Amino acid sequence: MLRDKVILVTGGAGLIGQEFIRGVIENNGIAIIADNDENLGLRFQNKISSEFNTNNIDFVKLDITSSKSIMDAISYAENKYTKIDALVNNAYPRNENYGRHFFDVTYEDFSENLSSNLGGYFLTSQKFSQFFNKQGYGNIINISSVYGVIAPRFSIYKNTNMTTPVEYAVIKAGLIHLTKYMATYFKGMNIRVNSLSPGGVRDSQPGSFIQNYKDHCLNKGLLDKSDLKGTLVYLLSDLSTNLNGQNIVVDDGFVL
């Protein structure tokens, strides 16, 4: 489905990013791991190269808050592959105080996290869309969340130390509207923009949370990280050519 498509995934060495990279490779695409953690990124590149016996896996160091870093990554990919078919905005930069409860969040931390994350998605999209416009086509997929669609269900965190950070909800909601903004702004440029909003992904959460979460779903509850690959591959493929400005929710019915 993705044969010979060159796809750059920001945060490609992270929990979900690694599965996105796998999805691209499994469908015969060329995957570029774009991550700020060079050691982790290169280790994952070597692992995938060996696992799939392929050279269609690459790494580029990328800081989504730096124009120079983004332009360097674009130049690297263009020079090596002569094209870039798609950008997957998946990175999630945050500062050391990220994750605090609402009353404990400072204005400075709130602003910094929105700037680095939502601002980083804007900056990366801006630079890549300029390249796509010059190239004549492009595809951008923003990774949002169910909490960009609905308000957090705080009851599922009962008897845990977990919460949904206010920055997370604002960032993810902003990404969905940024997606719509860009899709309409790029009218006539042959650049399409969509977002993918996952539900919760299993990642060593406490049992009480897992059960509380499942009570709001229809069947499975928390997703496995691999459950998102199919939708991403569809958005990257020519099967979704006429899908533009949309937000696709993958959550086992959590938002219903």
Side-chain angles (χ1 to χ4, degrees):
M1 291 178 70
L2 304 179
R3 184 169 299 279
D4 298 327
K5 288 186 182 292
V6 178
I7 297 157
L8 186 144
V9 181
T10 71
L15 178 72
I16 295 176
Q18 290 189 9
E19 290 303 308
F20 288 163
I21 293 293
R22 288 180 184 275
V24 172
I25 295 298
E26 288 167 352
N27 286 273
N28 302 307
I30 298 168
I32 303 176
I33 305 162
D35 204 286
N36 208 24
D37 189 331
E38 187 169 8
N39 290 330
L40 181 61
L42 289 173
R43 287 201 304 272
F44 181 59
Q45 177 189 2
N46 290 333
K47 179 180 179 181
I48 290 296
S49 179
S50 175
E51 181 179 334
F52 289 92
N53 190 28
T54 181
N55 292 319
N56 287 342
I57 180 79
D58 207 342
F59 171 81
V60 62
K61 185 174 174 61
L62 176 65
D63 174 2
I64 70 169
T65 67
S66 164
S67 292
K68 182 180 185 304
S69 179
I70 296 166
M71 294 306 297
D72 286 347
I74 291 172
S75 295
Y76 172 82
E78 181 183 20
N79 290 336
K80 184 168 183 178
Y81 300 104
T82 73
K83 65 172 186 171
I84 305 171
D85 291 282
L87 164 70
V88 180
N89 271 321
N90 171 71
Y92 201 80
R94 53 206 180 272
N95 73 11
E96 60 183 6
N97 294 324
Y98 175 85
R100 290 177 171 177
H101 285 254
F102 183 83
F103 289 123
D104 299 321
V105 177
T106 67
Y107 171 78
E108 290 76 16
D109 286 331
F110 181 88
S111 299
E112 182 179 350
N113 282 313
L114 258 68
S115 176
S116 62
N117 200 305
L118 186 56
Y121 274 55
F122 156 74
L123 184 62
T124 307
S125 296
Q126 181 190 59
K127 300 306 180 187
F128 270 82
S129 60
Q130 288 171 333
F131 169 81
F132 288 150
N133 190 31
K134 180 183 69 174
Q135 178 175 255
Y137 70 93
N139 186 2
I140 298 174
I141 300 166
N142 293 317
I143 306 304
S144 182
S145 166
V146 291
Y147 281 159
V149 179
I150 62 170
R153 292 197 163 123
F154 291 107
S155 62
I156 67 177
Y157 304 116
K158 186 178 180 181
N159 299 322
T160 76
N161 62 358
M162 300 170 61
T163 189
T164 296
V166 62
E167 302 101 314
Y168 182 86
V170 173
I171 287 164
K172 294 305 188 181
L175 274 176
I176 293 173
H177 205 74
L178 178 63
T179 296
K180 296 175 182 179
Y181 181 101
M182 291 192 297
T184 54
Y185 188 85
F186 299 152
K187 180 179 180 180
M189 298 182 190
N190 201 26
I191 303 170
R192 59 192 183 99
V193 191
N194 294 289
S195 56
L196 169 59
S197 288
V201 176
R202 189 178 294 271
D203 187 23
S204 303
Q205 295 94 336
S208 60
F209 169 80
I210 293 173
Q211 185 57 54
N212 289 341
Y213 188 96
K214 186 174 182 179
D215 289 343
H216 287 278
C217 297
L218 301 180
N219 293 295
K220 181 175 184 175
L222 284 174
L223 305 174
D224 294 317
K225 57 186 180 180
S226 60
D227 290 337
L228 303 171
K229 286 191 298 185
T231 305
L232 181 80
V233 169
Y234 166 68
L235 290 171
L236 290 170
S237 77
D238 293 340
L239 292 175
S240 60
T241 298
N242 296 310
L243 193 73
N244 203 355
Q246 304 303 307
N247 179 51
I248 309 299
V249 178
V250 181
D251 70 340
D252 190 28
F254 181 80
V255 304
L256 297 178

